[in-house]
Amino acid sequence: MKQILILICAAILAACHAGSSAQHMHGTHASGAAQPADTAKGSPHRVAMADIGSAHVHIEYNAPAVRGRIIWGGLVPYGEPWVTGAHHATSIMFSAPVQIAGARIRAGTYAFFTIPGRESWVLILNKNWRQHLTDEYDAADDVLRWTVQPEPHAHTERLTYSVVPQSANTGMVTIDWDTLRIRFEIIR
């Protein structure tokens, strides 16, 4: 039974990703980060998505693992922009306008960056969503910057994004890795 579920999840993800651009709109999908468990080395490509109200929220990222490393203030330095994943900038697509941190965000695809800090993190939506790491990051292309507090969380070996509907038109994006959680609300 477990193998059948893994095959179904893999087929759904392959169908969503095959031949699509990041602007491709999806129908209704399972919410959150329904990724099969893996033992992949490196930083495999992952997708998290859900509908929040009438807006489809689609996040694509590469998921590094802790593998015994010091993450915060080590592999991921404090005070510097991070792709909040690995390899390419994490992308977040909204099929309809949404509201984040009191700001109206147009439908479209954005790069998602963070600037980790010991006490607070700066979260960033940037209009240049096709970037390798932060090589081309330019703060002039930021659409929105807002601050959140990191929360202690049970150890999560591999970076995991989730998009979770909360009500008819609100939802949360959570990012779990190592022993921290970062989250923010999206309102449709």
Side-chain angles (χ1 to χ4, degrees):
M1 181 64 142
K2 183 176 178 182
Q3 289 176 329
I4 292 171
L5 288 175
I6 289 172
L7 289 174
I8 290 171
C9 288
I12 290 170
L13 290 174
C16 289
H17 190 66
S20 70
S21 72
Q23 292 287 350
H24 180 75
M25 303 303 169
H26 300 279
T28 302
H29 292 284
S31 65
Q35 307 294 331
D38 70 56
T39 57
K41 294 185 179 181
S43 302
H45 181 264
R46 294 286 176 88
V47 175
M49 65 187 102
D51 292 335
I52 297 176
S54 61
H56 182 71
V57 178
H58 184 105
I59 301 172
E60 294 198 29
Y61 64 105
N62 290 81
V66 174
R67 295 194 313 262
R69 300 177 288 184
I70 296 172
I71 301 302
W72 312 119
L75 180 66
V76 178
Y78 291 122
E80 295 181 21
W82 175 44
V83 295
T84 321
H87 308 305
H88 301 281
T90 292
S91 67
I92 184 167
M93 184 275 298
F94 308 108
S95 67
V98 297
Q99 185 176 340
I100 299 174
R104 187 171 188 275
I105 305 299
R106 293 181 181 177
T109 304
Y110 302 89
F112 178 73
F113 294 98
T114 57
I115 301 175
R118 292 180 196 279
E119 302 297 322
S120 64
W121 285 36
V122 175
L123 280 54
I124 303 167
L125 291 180
N126 183 281
K127 64 184 174 184
N128 183 9
W129 62 274
R130 291 186 186 199
Q131 299 185 50
H132 177 262
L133 297 172
T134 56
D135 298 346
E136 301 169 44
Y137 173 74
D138 184 346
D141 291 330
D142 290 351
V143 173
L144 177 64
R145 281 179 168 233
W146 71 105
T147 303
V148 300
Q149 307 303 318
E151 303 169 26
H153 191 263
H155 177 80
T156 304
E157 179 63 22
R158 191 167 296 280
L159 176 72
T160 303
Y161 280 77
S162 300
V163 181
V164 181
Q166 302 286 303
S167 70
N169 58 347
T170 64
M172 292 295 270
V173 172
T174 62
I175 304 120
D176 296 325
W177 197 29
D178 193 18
T179 57
L180 287 184
R181 169 174 278 178
I182 301 299
R183 60 185 176 149
F184 62 93
E185 183 179 53
I186 296 175
I187 301 171
R188 172 67 183 112

